[in-house]
Amino acid sequence: MQERIHEALRRNAVDEALELARDWVAQAPEDVDARRSLAAVLARSGDSEGALAALDQAILLAPEAAGLHFERAGLLMLERQLGEAQAALARSLGLDPNLFRAYLLKARLALVEGDLEEAERLSAMAGRIVADDPQLLVIDAMVALRRGDAARAIALAARASEELPEDPQALSVLGMAHAASQHWAFAEQAFRRVAGLVPDARALQPVIAQLVHRQGRAGDAADLLRALLDDGGAGTDALRKATASYELDAGRWQQAAARMQPVLLADPGDREALALSMRAWLGGADREAGLRTLETALASRPRDPELWIARLSLEAQGSAGSGDVLARWREAMPDHVPALEAALFAAVRGGDGQAAEAVARRILELEPGRTSGEQVLVELQLADAPDAALERAAALAAAQPTPQAAEELQHWRARLLDRAGRTAEAVALWLELQQARTARSPAPPPVSHPAGGLPGMGATPGPGRALLLWGAPGSGIERVASLLEHAGAPVLVDRFSHRPPGDALQRGESGSALVEGGLEPAAVVRGWRDALPDRGAPAGTVIDWLPWWDNGLLLALRPYLPEGVLVAALRDPRDMLLDWLAVGSPAPVAFASPDTAAAWLADTLAQLAGLVEGQLYPSVVLRLDEGMHAPDVLATVVGDALGAPLPAIAPGPGMVRLPAGRWRAYADVLAGPFARLAPVAARLGYPET
């Protein structure tokens, strides 16, 4: 349908395109593309008011689609003095090539239709007629933004909005440019100004809510959308899902579940509604209501595996309830491989090797080579025939269709080697996997050695604290961050994202630069504070997960961030090294050998020991040796240290971690690296041998 509409527009058959677009909307009233196309055709026909109404409906269906808000800004541009410009076009564009407003309107139309080159050409021609007109700045800003140059877009739109302070188009483009640069607070401010200028600001509420959420104010974002849902004409499922998502991030489990219940019951196949509902029920919403909802959904879709998986997840593992649900699932879907796999994993968890083997063989009968069945048979074979089991594991890894799948099975094979006591082979395989994974990663940053005294501690400015969360590779710090996030704490984790902040605390060499005089201490903390609003940090206490720590940072933190606390995760350094080899680290780094990794880890942990021994900065050390395998222990350790009870959570998907003290099995294979770590282990309270 969309191609037919475009073809009609290419022939300038606007009436035909309009009829097609309206038919499409009538056939699919909740199709965003249908509403979007209708808006474009209405704009082409000269009905900017109708176009804006159609696009507003599209935005209500997809409230977080940034492109729709961009097109809305273009339509708002068309709405200004449209009649005059249209008349000018019809009257004299061909006769008077110097008619400024005609070029301006054509440039705006080109933007709505996505023709950036034409918009840019027309803007340049108009600029030769009337130089420095702020309306042209808005067009040029939109072109820059569409081309990904957010900095130029901000500069142009800011100039335009200074000259046109009550122009919704200029402010809309300014807001979008700030959002593209992750300047969330500035973007929110711009869009709130737009909302105060347009007659109906409902369609702007979703984008404002999204910007508010980006700043860590999930509850405020949910409140904005809830007010919109209370307006009977705006209650789309997409808006309900966005509201529920914000409510979940705010810890409002019950409200989110209630928001999703009618959506899920109306369409039990709606995967997004199911996922949001599961987050709510597992987070703390009424479990009995969740069971009733899922049972109702299953009554209408008894062969939907996703619903069965959800239903099973609301039962405790190994309980009578989980067994009953699993039996019903297999009865409803006999020989369905995911159902068999659920039974397989239940048998493995329950230690029923005979049942596990029978189910695994049935899976392989139905789907030869299925990884789950093969892995269980290998695991069962390992104790009695380790050579055959390891050979089968190697063949299974080699047969995987993708590099990612092969890597996952190679890690599993390394764990089998560990369990079989073949420690030298396990280390060799771990090194091979690590070097492949970190081939393009940087080496660990230098460790500074400050000479002389440290500056005095500054005066604490107020009640808020800055918790600087950090752990060296192998410490398990990522488990702490996940635990705090699950508890609703405002942990900043963007330093490990694809768009980390650019402040000095992001760079591992900043400590050495401070020691060598290459960084101004006050600028380090000022840059950190200035970046917080756009990172979504709340007012008051900030929890910032750092990729690196170096005591050279104390030259800046002691005088200028006295309210800070270093919250450091720690395990026996030998276990940390082994975990680093086996699993990697949240911030991938390359190392040439276990010896070089141990040398860097020893220097880094020696700094932590020195900080704690000398009380160089407020600090809390979280000893996670036992908590890595016991969620309740982890929650207790972290909760006690921070003075707040925390709910235990099961470890997320990822590499299985080796138990505390496992380093001793590798005492011969890694004798040199462990000897390097022994002194700092003793300083930190662990046995030297």
Side-chain angles (χ1 to χ4, degrees), residues 145-235:
L145 187 56
R146 289 285 287 271
R147 286 181 169 159
D149 190 348
R152 174 172 165 76
I154 289 173
L156 292 168
R159 285 170 54 196
S161 63
E162 286 175 4
E163 297 189 44
L164 302 168
E166 295 189 356
D167 186 293
Q169 302 91 346
L171 290 168
S172 293
V173 179
L174 180 61
M176 287 184 289
H178 277 305
S181 297
Q182 296 190 350
H183 302 160
W184 312 122
F186 290 121
E188 179 196 352
Q189 182 183 31
F191 278 112
R192 286 192 183 275
R193 288 172 64 190
V194 175
L197 294 169
V198 297
D200 184 358
R202 289 182 304 166
L204 285 175
Q205 295 309 305
V207 74
I208 294 173
Q210 184 183 21
L211 294 168
V212 167
H213 179 255
R214 292 280 194 175
Q215 297 171 67
R217 293 152 48 205
D220 292 343
D223 291 342
L224 281 168
L225 294 192
R226 190 167 62 247
L228 193 57
L229 283 171
D230 290 341
D231 180 345

Side-chain angles (χ1 to χ4, degrees), residues 418 427 430 573-583 601 658-659 662-664 666 670 674:
D418 170 76
V427 168
W430 281 327
R574 279 84 41 120
D575 278 329
M576 289 174 65
L577 176 64
L578 194 60
D579 190 277
W580 189 5
L581 298 179
V583 179
L601 186 60
L658 298 172
R662 184 60 181 166
W663 71 269
R664 288 189 170 83
Y666 292 78
L670 296 172
F674 286 169

Side-chain angles (χ1 to χ4, degrees), residues 55 64 242 257 260 405 582-583:
L55 196 59
E64 296 192 5
M260 283 297 93
V583 179

Side-chain angles (χ1 to χ4, degrees), residues 30 60-61 63 229 234-244 259-260 262-264 266-267 270 272-273 276:
E30 293 210 1
L60 291 175
L61 290 169
L229 283 171
T236 66
D237 285 350
L239 200 61
R240 292 186 183 96
K241 290 173 188 175
T243 308
R259 187 81 59 197
M260 283 297 93
V263 179
L264 186 58
D267 181 8
D270 188 327
E272 185 180 4
L276 291 168

Side-chain angles (χ1 to χ4, degrees), residues 526-548:
R526 184 169 59 249
W528 175 79
R529 291 190 194 279
D530 289 347
L532 288 176
D534 285 333
R535 297 176 62 199
T541 296
V542 174
I543 307 176
D544 195 356
W545 181 13
L546 305 183
W548 313 107

Side-chain angles (χ1 to χ4, degrees), residues 4-48:
R4 292 173 62 191
I5 293 170
H6 287 165
E7 195 275 332
L9 288 176
R10 283 193 290 270
R11 292 187 282 107
N12 205 31
V14 178
D15 290 343
E16 179 185 339
L18 191 55
E19 183 178 355
L20 288 169
R22 283 176 170 153
D23 286 346
W24 190 7
V25 169
Q27 295 168 18
E30 293 210 1
D31 189 310
V32 174
D33 289 333
R35 299 275 184 183
R36 193 176 208 162
S37 292
L38 178 59
V41 178
L42 286 167
R44 180 73 168 265
S45 73
D47 183 0
S48 62

